Every structure is written in structure tokens, then in C-alpha cells.
């Protein structure tokens, strides 16, 4: 028996993302714009296969070849004849759907590997009996023999993503360790190069290590191209090591992205959109993060578009070092009614920001009012779909030019629907209230988290010319009572400085802002909650957070003492802070469940949220911000690592509680997304049922125009680097 955390259950929730009405209301021009942007996003999203594991791209191609020849329904008869039970065939469909939904064979939320929940010999029998194998036995035999071992392998290192002996990564060659990542970061900083669109390959050059920094770009030539003053590529000596910077990572896929962005330009609504797409195209053509930043500047200026989108190497959660971005692209349609609430929140931001617990010197000089819209997702390509986003992630742009917030309404609508019988770790008296208010309270939390969490706080910077963005002769650190003595210098950023803890620490800060400000009656009123309803929303939000902290233990690996998911680590840290607050604010005890198996019960004293709870978050949030503002990596790590520690030696045995959480965990939902296709002069929306078979069909039809060429491209790209992962 394989440990259940390493496979997806047959009854996993799979929901279709509904965007029919939103799409119907678009004009023909807007539909064309959305279509071509979606094509760019989907082709770019395939990069994630190559960013996840050495085998992900090959598994994707294996599945595409099987299902292109036979639909899931047709293949079911083949499976039956090959000796598979209906449960085993369903397990195969769920595995395939999981591979597509996560863009690889590691969970996008938690970074653990998942394997098919059926015996290897049964899967092999099905593969060999498939029409694809019958028609091309040599190619399919090679694909199966190259891939089958890694599909099922659960050696310790392969159980999760990580660097060196801690796990699998394809952001770094297999011979890289943390010291190599740190050296490469210093090199990139010295060249003022961002790590977002890079990978690092370490090779032996006559007994000396040589590092290849590879930029994602359509163009493979390393010389300066049209529109470039000078190329950042070339060979460099740094700290007595050789570094080579070259272009061309994922080149054929980047070409596809550029092609569709070019097509979309013809249907842009305004100059900001056109210039934004031009810069994105330049970024993906030349491998230039500077061009992507320029595109992001135009994107920020494109206020209130009907069709909203963003694309590129964005979130750094899955780089074990925390600096390289995973490719994602989304296209969505604005939900006007819901967006009005968020617009009111933006209008109130300047009143709400001073409520936060740090001194004014630690807040941005001016609050740059962002766009904040609720969107219905048409396309979200990448490894997973979040509930809300605050972008761009470039510190210099966010601090001085602005950002945008989006809440993904049709994702929220299905992602957080909970059945009472599946609701774990709460008292019976809390369950109905929790189910009723979970959605509305999460909407408030997402709004505050994105706008006033990620959108708040100042970084103290001394630029390359020695100029400070704060008065270092006057600003005092409230934690020490002394003048601020540390800050970011030159090209240092939050991610490059705080590296491995940056993502989770920042998510924790934003979650704390949400908890803290949801106590504000003005905020609750903006979202339409008054009186008792408002109190219930607050209670549900705080209860949801402490429960999430307990659930977070699923994403902790005791063997390596590491966390695999930034948000869940953040929520565990908050649970620890609230438990530490004492006065019976939060209760957590081990009990025996109705089924006779170990269980846990979490309680929250709602009468103490606005006193004991608020005070605890006030103190902790202030510390988080001051350490972040002052670039105090040592202090930040000490604080965050202490609260992130999972042990069995304190008042609560968190290692044993983790076993209980694993025993009672519910698999994360997967989403089926629609496709668009051009029929004559019109764009049609093609929808699919919310099932494993529907998810599979959506991916087969998504790439049907150039399926064989695309599959060969993915195999070639994978093969070119195969020797680097050993």
C-alpha cells in the first residue's frame, strides 16, 4: 500500500469553472483578445512541465498520445479487456487529470509527488492495449520505458520538491546545493540580473565548476539584438568561478507565446494594452525581465479593463531557493457587481492603513491606489489557481509606481464550498455557522490580504547612488528603540535577501493584516455585513485561520524539517502565535473520533478575539513588518523559524497532530477550464463537465491544432537536459 498522501483519491472533487455568462457579455473584439491571450497562456503554461520534474513532460506526452486516439469513454472498454477494475480505471483517469491540473506529477499545493493509485502492471497493460501503442509501438515503448520507473518511484528524495538531497527540482541541475544557489544569487545581483526567468546548470570544466545561467527566451543567439543596447549574455569570472549567461531556455514554447501575443495586439482595447503586449513579447523573445517590468508598468496603467490578464515568470514559491518564477498566464473577465465592493475598499485604504500596528515611517510614502477587481477566470495556465493575486512582484514598481489586486470570484465560488460531513476538527456547534460564513468571510480576508497586506509596508532602500528613501538620521526601530541600522542596498530585493523564507513570511504578514483589519466595522460594512452577521463573519474568519493552521501540518515534512507550502506554513505560524497568546483564546486538543480513530478538536473563544487575539496579532505583525522594512534577515529568520518549528516537546504534540491531520485530510479540488475556438469570424466558448474525463478532454482539445509537433518539441526539450538531473 502506498501512503495516501502520495496518490489522489478516486472521489477527489473536480469542478468546472463557470465563466459562460461573463464570456457571453464580451464584445466580438474582446472575445478575440481573450482568445489569443488564452492561447499564449496555455502554450506558456507547458513550461511548468519542464520546471517541475525531469519526468513531467514525458508523462504529459504519454497521456496526450493515449487520449488523442481514444476518449476516456472509449478507453474504458480497452481497460476492462486488459483486466482493470472500474476502480483502477478511475484511478488512472484521476492520475491523468491530476497531471494536467498540476502541470506535472507534483502537487502544486504542497509540492509532494503523486503516483497512480493502481498497480504498475495494470497501468502497463492499459498502455500496451491502447490504440496509440498499437499504431506506434516503437515510440510508445520508448516513452513508457523511459518514464514508467519515475512515474511510480517514491524514493525519499523523489517524494517532494527541494534542492540537493532534500528533493527534486529542475530549476537547478541535480548537482547543485544551497551554496551554489547563494553563489549564483550574488552573481546575478552583481550583474543586476533578475533570477525570475532563469535556471542554473552546474557543469565540470576541466576540474573546475562552471555555472550556466539560462534565460527563458524564444531567441537562442546570445549577441545583442534589435532594441538592445547590450546583451547581458556572455562568459564572466565571479568569485574565482566561471559563469556563462545564455539565452534559449524553452525556446520553441516562448516562440508560441510571442506569436499569440502578437495576434492579441490587433484586438487590444487601448494603447496601454498594446504597449503592454509589445513589452511582454520583447521579454519572452530576448529573455528580458526589464522588458517584462516595462510591460507591467503599462499593465498597471490599464485601469479597469473588461478583459484582464497577466503573463510571465511570476511566483517564486516552487523554487527551493525562492528567487525563480514559475510560468503562469491568466485571462479573466471583470465581475462588475463584486468589483464595486473592492473599489470601496480601495477608497477606504488611506483611512485603514494608519490602523496597522507599525509607525508611519514604516509605511509607504504614498498609497498608490490600485485597481482591485473581482474576476471570473476564463483561463489560468500554470500549476494551480489561487483565490486572489497582488501583482506585479517587482518591489521597485510596487513601492513607487503601484500594483493591481484581483480576486478570482468563480474560483472562490467552488473552491471553498464544504460539505458538513467532511468538515474536520471543529465542534458540532461551530459547523453550520462555519459553512454559512466561510465563503463571505474568505472574500473579506482575500480583499484585505491582497490590498492592504501585500500592498502595505515600506522597504528601506539605499540606491546605487547612495540615496536613501528614508531619513536614516531620524527613523527609530520601535522594537529596539534605536535608529534603523540596516536596509536594502542597490539591486537587493525582498526575495533575493530573504530567499528561502521570503514567500511564506510575506504570506504570513498579509494573512495577519487580514485578521487584524477584519475587526474593523467599516471594512465589514463595505462587504455588506452589519450587526450580528458582521460578528459571525469575524468569528468564521478567525476560526478558519486557526483551523487552517492545524491543516497546514499536512504540508510539513518531518524527515527534512521543511515546509512544502508557503501559505500553509504561514497559517501554522499564526496558529502558534494565537496559542501562545494564552487566556484560552484558542483551544487545541487530541480526542477520539466517532469512528474510534484519533481526532483533534479546535476551539476559539469569540469573546476574546477583539482583545487577546487582536493584541497578539498587533505585536507579531509589527515585528514582521519592522524586520522586513529593515532587511534584517537574521532577525526575520530567527523569529519565523521559531514559530514554524513542528515538535513534540511543547504543550501540543504537533508531530502527533500531523499524523491525525494526514489521517483525516481531504484532497484539494481540481478545476476544469473551458477552451475558446474561432469559428468563422466568431469566438466560441467550449465547456466541459466537472469530472476527470472532462478535464482530460479539455487538455486534448486545447492543443489539437499542432499536437504531434508540440509533443515532439516537449520530448526534445526534455531530452536535451536529461543528463543534468542525475
Amino acid at each position: 500500500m502506498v501512503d495516501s498522501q502520495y496518490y489522489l483519491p478516486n472521489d477527489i472533487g473536480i469542478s468546472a469553472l463557470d465563466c459562460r455568462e461573463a464570456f457571453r457579455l464580451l464584445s466580438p473584439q474582446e472575445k478575440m483578445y481573450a482568445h489569443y491571450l488564452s492561447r499564449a497562456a496555455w502554450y506558456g503554461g507547458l513550461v511548468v512541465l519542464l520546471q517541475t520534474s525531469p519526468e513531467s513532460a514525458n508523462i504529459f506526452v504519454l497521456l496526450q498520445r493515449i487520449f488523442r486516439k481514444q476518449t476516456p469513454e472509449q478507453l474504458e472498454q480497452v481497460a476492462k479487456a486488459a483486466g482493470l477494475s472500474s476502480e483502477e480505471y478511475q484511478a488512472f483517469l484521476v492520475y491523468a487529470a491530476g497531471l494536467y491540473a498540476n502541470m506535472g506529477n507534483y502537487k502544486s499545493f504542497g509540492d509532494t509527488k503523486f503516483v497512480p493509485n493502481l498497480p504498475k502492471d495494470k497501468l502497463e497493460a492499459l498502455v500496451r492495449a491502447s490504440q496509440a501503442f498499437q499504431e506506434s509501438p516503437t515510440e510508445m515503448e520508448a516513452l513508457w520505458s523511459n518514464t514508467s520507473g519515475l512515474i511510480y518511484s517514491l524514493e525519499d528524495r523523489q517524494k517532494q520538491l527541494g534542492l540537493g538531497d532534500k528533493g527534486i527540482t529542475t530549476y537547478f541541475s541535480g548537482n547543485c546545493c544551497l551554496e551554489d544557489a547563494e553563489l549564483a544569487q550574488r552573481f546575478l545581483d552583481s550583474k543586476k540580473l533578475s533570477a525570475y526567468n532563469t535556471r542554473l546548470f552546474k557543469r565540470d570544466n576541466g576540474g573546475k565548476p562552471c555555472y550556466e545561467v539560462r534565460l527563458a527566451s524564444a531567441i537562442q543567439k546570445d549577441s545583442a539584438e534589435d532594441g538592445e543596447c547590450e546583451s547581458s549574455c556572455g562568459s564572466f569570472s565571479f568569485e574565482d568561478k566561471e559563469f556563462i549567461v545564455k539565452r534559449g531556455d524553452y525556446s520553441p514554447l516562448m516562440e508560441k507565446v510571442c506569436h499569440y501575443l502578437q495576434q492579441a495586439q490587433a484586438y487590444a482595447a487601448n494603447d496601454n494594452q498594446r504597449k503592454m503586449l509589445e513589452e511582454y513579447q520583447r521579454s519572452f523573445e530576448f529573455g528580458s525581465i526589464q522588458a517584462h517590468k516595462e510591460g507591467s508598468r503599462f499593465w498597471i496603467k490599464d485601469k479597469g479593463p473588461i478583459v484582464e490578464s497577466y503573463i510571465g515568470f511570476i511566483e517564486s514559491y516552487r523554487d527551493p531557493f525562492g528567487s525563480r518564477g514559475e510560468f503562469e498566464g491568466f485571462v479573466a473577465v471583470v465581475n462588475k457587481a463584486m468589483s464595486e465592493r473592492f473599489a470601496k475598499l480601495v477608497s477606504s485604504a488611506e483611512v485603514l492603513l494608519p490602523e496597522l500596528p507599525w509607525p508611519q515611517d514604516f509605511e509607504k510614502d504614498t498609497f498608490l491606489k490600485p485597481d482591485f477587481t473581482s474576476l471570473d477566470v476564463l483561463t489560468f495556465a500554470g500549476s494551480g489557481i489561487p483565490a486572489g493575486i497582488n501583482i506585479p512582484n517587482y518591489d521597485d514598481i510596487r513601492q513607487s509606481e503601484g500594483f493591481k489586486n484581483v480576486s478570482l470570484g468563480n474560483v472562490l465560488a467552488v473552491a471553498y464550498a464544504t460539505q458538513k460531513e467532511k468538515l474536520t476538527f471543529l465542534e458540532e456547534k461551530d459547523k453550520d455557522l462555519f459553512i454559512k460564513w466561510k465563503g463571505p468571510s474568505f472574500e473579506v480576508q482575500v480583499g484585505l490580504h491582497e490590498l492592504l497586506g501585500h500592498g502595505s509596508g515600506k522597504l528601506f532602500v539605499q540606491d546605487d547612488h547612495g540615496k536613501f528613501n528614508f531619513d536614516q538620521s531620524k527613523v527609530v526601530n520601535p522594537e529596539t528603540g534605536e535608529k534603523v541600522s540596516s536596509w536594502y542596498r542597490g539591486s537587493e530585493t525582498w526575495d533575493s535577501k530573504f530567499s528561502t523564507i521570503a514567500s511564506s513570511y510575506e504570506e504570513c504578514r498579509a494573512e495577519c493584516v487580514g485578521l487584524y483589519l477584519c475587526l474593523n466595522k467599516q471594512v465589514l460594512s463595505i462587504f455588506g455585513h452589519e450587526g450580528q452577521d458582521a460578528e459571525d463573519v469575524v468569528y468564521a474568519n478567525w476560526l478558519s485561520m486557526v483551523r487552517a493552521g492545524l491543516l497546514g501540518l499536512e504540508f510539513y515534512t518531518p524527515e527534512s524539517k521543511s515546509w512544502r507550502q508557503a501559505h500553509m506554513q504561514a497559517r501554522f505560524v499564526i496558529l502558534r502565535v494565537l496559542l501562545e497568546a494564552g487566556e484560552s483564546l484558542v483551544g487545541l486538543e487530541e480526542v477520539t473520533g466517532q469512528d474510534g480513530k484519533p481526532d483533534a478538536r479546535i476551539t476559539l473563544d469569540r469573546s476574546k478575539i477583539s482583545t487577546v487575539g487582536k493584541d497578539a496579532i498587533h505585536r507579531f505583525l509589527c515585528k514582521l513588518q519592522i524586520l522586513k522594512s529593515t532587511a534584517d534577515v537574521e532577525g526575520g529568520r530567527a523569529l519565523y523559524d521559531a514559530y514554524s518549528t513542528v515538535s513534540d516537546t511543547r504543550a501540543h504534540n504537533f508531530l502527533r497532530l500531523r499524523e491525525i491531520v494526514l489521517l483525516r485530510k481531504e484532497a484539494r479540488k481540481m478545476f476544469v477550464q473551458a477552451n475558446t475556438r474561432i469559428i468563422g469570424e466568431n469566438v466560441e466558448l467550449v465547456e466541459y463537465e466537472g469530472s476527470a474525463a472532462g478535464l482530460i478532454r479539455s487538455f486534448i482539445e486545447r492543443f489539437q491544432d499542432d499536437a504531434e509537433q508540440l509533443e515532439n518539441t516537449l520530448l526534445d526539450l526534455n531530452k536535451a537536459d536529461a543528463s543534468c538531473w542525475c
Side-chain angles (χ1 to χ4, degrees), residues 7 76 159 168 188 239 270 326 346 388 407 484 490 498 567 581:
Y7 63 77
E76 187 168 12
K159 286 179 178 175
I168 294 297
L188 290 168
E239 294 187 13
N270 54 52
E326 183 174 73
V346 172
S407 173
V484 166
F498 281 71
H567 298 79

Side-chain angles (χ1 to χ4, degrees), residues 114-128:
F114 58 94
V115 301
N117 190 21
L118 71 159
K120 186 177 178 181
D121 60 339
K122 292 288 186 78
L123 179 53
E124 182 169 358
L126 174 58
V127 170
R128 291 184 181 281

Side-chain angles (χ1 to χ4, degrees), residues 357 512 515-516 519 542 573-583 585-586 608-624 639 643:
C512 285
L515 284 182
Y516 192 76
L519 298 168
W542 279 63
V573 165
I574 291 169
L575 170 63
R576 289 277 316 277
V577 168
L578 294 176
L579 283 166
E580 191 184 81
E583 298 189 45
L585 170 69
V586 173
K608 293 176 181 169
I609 291 172
S610 60
T611 53
V612 181
K614 185 180 182 183
D615 288 348
I617 294 297
H618 181 288
R619 288 191 301 274
F620 185 62
L621 184 50
C622 192
K623 282 180 186 167
L624 288 177
L639 177 73
Y643 280 105

Side-chain angles (χ1 to χ4, degrees), residues 77-222:
Q77 303 311 311
V78 177
K80 215 173 194 176
L84 277 73
S85 67
S86 57
E87 289 79 17
E88 287 168 338
Y89 182 63
Q90 178 62 19
F92 168 62
L93 292 184
V94 165
Y95 176 76
L99 189 286
Y100 289 131
N102 292 280
M103 267 292 103
N105 59 336
Y106 286 75
K107 294 176 191 172
S108 65
F109 200 86
D111 292 344
T112 44
K113 187 171 185 176
F114 58 94
V115 301
N117 190 21
L118 71 159
K120 186 177 178 181
D121 60 339
K122 292 288 186 78
L123 179 53
E124 182 169 358
L126 174 58
V127 170
R128 291 184 181 281
S130 69
Q131 188 179 328
F133 199 100
Q134 302 298 313
E135 289 182 10
S136 308
T138 309
E139 291 93 328
M140 289 295 285
E141 177 70 58
L143 198 46
W144 173 254
S145 61
N146 276 340
T147 310
S148 56
L150 284 169
I151 287 177
Y152 277 92
S153 173
L154 281 172
E155 291 175 19
D156 283 349
R157 186 172 166 233
Q158 287 166 352
K159 286 179 178 175
Q160 67 281 314
L161 299 179
L163 186 55
D165 58 4
K166 292 200 168 172
I168 294 297
T169 180
T170 49
Y171 287 106
F172 298 86
S173 56
N175 54 355
C176 284
C177 62
L178 184 60
E179 288 74 21
D180 296 309
E182 289 169 341
L183 171 68
Q185 187 62 56
R186 292 196 298 276
F187 166 74
L188 290 168
D189 286 345
S190 77
K191 291 287 169 196
K192 296 194 168 34
L193 272 174
S194 168
Y196 271 123
N197 64 342
T198 70
R199 292 197 289 172
L200 185 72
F201 296 85
K202 181 182 175 184
R203 307 185 194 284
D204 182 68
N205 185 6
K208 281 185 75 175
C210 171
Y211 296 91
E212 179 189 307
V213 175
R214 204 185 295 167
L215 309 175
S217 69
I219 277 176
Q220 300 193 47
K221 287 189 294 186
D222 294 333

Side-chain angles (χ1 to χ4, degrees), residues 358-364 399 456-462 469-470 475 477-478 484-489 494 498 505-506 509 621-633:
W358 47 83
Q360 191 177 345
D361 286 326
F362 288 75
E363 190 46 70
K364 290 190 177 86
Q399 186 138 296
S456 66
K458 179 173 181 171
L459 301 185
F460 294 151
V461 178
Q462 180 184 19
N469 70 342
F470 69 104
V475 178
N477 180 330
V484 166
S485 57
S486 57
W487 46 80
Y488 299 83
R489 296 168 194 273
W494 162 249
F498 281 71
Y505 187 113
E506 174 58 12
R509 195 182 68 87
L621 184 50
C622 192
K623 282 180 186 167
L624 288 177
Q625 181 56 49
I626 282 149
L627 292 163
K628 180 183 178 184
S629 288
T630 58
D632 185 351
V633 181

